[in-house]
Amino acid sequence: MKLKNKLIVGLVAGAAAFFVGLNQQVSAATVNNDYTLSASEGSSLRTSNNVIIAHATGTYAPAINNAIFEKRTWYSNGAYVQYIVGDGGKIYRVGAEGYQAWGAGSWANANAPVQIELAQTYDNAEFHKDYVAYVNLLHSSAIKYGIPTDVDSSAWRGVKSHLWITNHVWGDHTDPYGYLATHGITKAQFAHDVQYGFSSSGNDVNHTPKPTPKPVKPANKKQVDVTYAMHQRNGHWLSPVKNAGSGANGFAGMPYSAHDLLYVKVNRGSIKYRVHTIEDGWLPWIHKANKNDTVNGVAGIKGHTIDGVQMYYTTPKGENYQQAYYRSQSTQRAGYLGTCADNGSIAGYDSWAGMYGEPLDRLQISINDHSNF
């Protein structure tokens, strides 16, 4: 979901309920305001009313967990949206409508009066309830602000996925389509549903018969192995690690040591990666893995301390969508920091692994359609 810009701390207006409004009928949907930012929290900047943004969290966790986290870390993490939908069709509010949230970069935040996260679940029955609430919230929010209900059109107004923002403005996030596809929802179906909304019973309010859906292709998930290694600062290359496991062989790096170089490679698809160093900030993206090529084959600069890592995995065409899940540990903290997803979709720890100013001493990576951490 989130690639943000920090703005100004300020006003958050309050409302106890939200109305799922359709042209033909209106039904009330109560919003949980337990985790809404207070009057002294959040951005004070008003939005232009041009887009409603559809996100997915990217992690299989209850929506309430995301709401709690965004409430607690809205400023320190620079990440929050207006609504999070999940837990069987529940709606949790964090930010204020009409004021900028920090969910998809400067342009998107300034033009979206409402940004909405969809929490992820493996339960199909729960997903259906979540999906109806999510679609109706997107649909009615667009109507409320005079925004077209079409999804991802070429126009600069309408309901936009985070993927559309990536493709047309900035970023590298692809939600919510990867998650929707796991429950059989295509881009076309999502666009149709958001355009027309659902009735309170969950039935489509558009009375035009739907075309017969095409048969769903069999799952085509492939095993992806990721191999990676770190170089001790002013030292030598440590043994490479394949995927993520437990014990001494389950991570790259050396506990309580600083590192200056990293390489990452996969056996399927492609991966790009970069590092942040204390001395230089973020360095350029690397697309190869060759420890003997310190210019284009590894990330980092010899002698400079890595304190952050970012990566992005691209799934081969025709295969089930997978992404890089990764986490790190620093020399100054016990235990791993939060898990990251390569498309920035895990609330709270979603754009890079590490902690500024703290040498990164351990790194774990896994390529999958879900996080095992």
Side-chain angles (χ1 to χ4, degrees):
M1 166 214 129
K2 307 178 187 70
L3 290 171
K4 297 88 189 164
N5 61 316
K6 288 190 178 180
L7 301 173
I8 301 173
V9 178
L11 175 67
V12 170
F18 147 84
F19 289 94
V20 178
L22 303 175
N23 290 332
Q24 298 87 351
Q25 61 189 67
V26 177
S27 60
T30 302
V31 171
N32 183 312
N33 288 297
D34 292 346
Y35 312 104
T36 301
L37 298 181
S38 70
S40 62
E41 299 172 320
S43 172
S44 63
L45 298 181
R46 287 279 192 176
T47 63
S48 298
N49 300 330
N50 291 313
V51 295
I52 304 296
I53 300 179
H55 297 278
T57 61
T59 181
Y60 288 83
I64 191 172
N65 289 11
N66 289 279
I68 292 170
F69 188 88
E70 289 190 9
K71 165 67 173 175
R72 187 176 73 248
T73 66
W74 69 273
Y75 183 75
S76 61
N77 191 54
Y80 70 95
V81 296
Q82 279 84 6
Y83 294 108
I84 302 168
V85 177
D87 302 343
K90 296 179 181 179
I91 301 171
Y92 300 91
R93 180 177 166 203
V94 179
E97 287 191 18
Y99 290 86
Q100 294 187 22
W102 299 340
S106 299
W107 182 89
N109 295 342
N111 284 275
V114 175
Q115 298 190 48
I116 305 167
E117 284 274 15
L118 177 61
Q120 298 187 187
T121 177
Y122 292 109
D123 188 289
N124 284 325
E126 182 175 322
F127 169 78
H128 177 75
K129 295 177 182 178
D130 295 345
Y131 182 67
V132 169
Y134 179 60
V135 163
N136 277 348
L137 185 51
L138 290 165
H139 175 90
S140 58
S141 295
I143 291 177
K144 177 177 180 179
Y145 288 95
I147 296 170
T149 60
D150 51 353
V151 177
D152 287 356
S153 72
S154 59
W156 288 78
R157 301 192 76 243
V159 178
K160 305 298 182 185
S161 67
H162 204 158
L163 174 62
W164 189 95
I165 300 298
T166 291
N167 290 339
H168 293 83
V169 186
W170 172 83
D172 58 6
H173 298 187
T174 60
D175 49 308
Y177 293 118
Y179 170 58
L180 294 179
T182 66
H183 287 280
I185 302 296
T186 64
K187 290 183 180 180
Q189 183 66 55
F190 179 60
H192 175 276
D193 294 340
V194 171
Q195 183 174 5
Y196 297 105
F198 292 100
S199 67
S200 58
S201 63
N203 297 318
D204 193 335
V205 299
N206 176 34
H207 299 295
T208 303
K210 294 182 181 179
T212 302
K214 295 180 180 180
V216 177
K217 293 182 180 180
N220 188 26
K221 180 184 177 182
K222 303 294 185 180
Q223 171 67 34
V224 180
D225 293 322
V226 55
T227 303
Y228 50 107
M230 300 195 76
H231 183 275
Q232 281 187 295
R233 187 181 64 192
N234 300 319
H236 63 280
W237 281 101
L238 300 169
S239 299
V241 175
K242 184 177 180 180
N243 301 322
S246 58
N249 297 320
F251 59 85
M254 179 69 69
Y256 313 112
S257 295
H259 302 84
D260 52 13
L261 300 175
L262 166 72
Y263 76 79
V264 184
K265 61 182 178 180
V266 291
N267 68 330
R268 302 184 64 82
S270 62
I271 194 165
K272 67 177 182 179
Y273 58 101
R274 64 176 182 168
V275 299
H276 183 281
T277 69
I278 295 175
E279 296 84 356
D280 312 289
W282 285 106
L283 298 175
W285 289 101
I286 300 298
H287 298 267
K288 301 177 182 179
N290 181 356
K291 65 182 181 181
N292 296 317
D293 180 358
T294 58
V295 177
N296 298 308
V298 299
I301 298 174
K302 279 192 174 182
H304 292 199
T305 304
I306 295 173
D307 60 356
V309 173
Q310 189 175 32
M311 63 190 68
Y312 187 87
Y313 174 75
T314 299
T315 306
K317 185 177 180 181
E319 295 184 11
N320 285 23
Y321 174 74
Q322 299 189 74
Q323 59 183 319
Y325 291 92
Y326 55 106
R327 64 180 184 173
S328 68
Q329 194 164 332
S330 85
T331 59
Q332 299 180 28
R333 297 170 189 263
Y336 281 97
L337 299 168
T339 302
C340 307
D342 69 8
N343 68 354
S345 58
I346 293 185
Y349 301 96
D350 54 14
S351 50
W352 57 279
M355 189 67 67
Y356 286 144
E358 299 182 9
L360 188 150
D361 68 346
R362 275 163 273 196
L363 178 68
Q364 287 189 310
I365 311 171
S366 173
I367 308 295
N368 213 322
D369 58 2
H370 65 280
S371 174
N372 289 318
F373 296 127

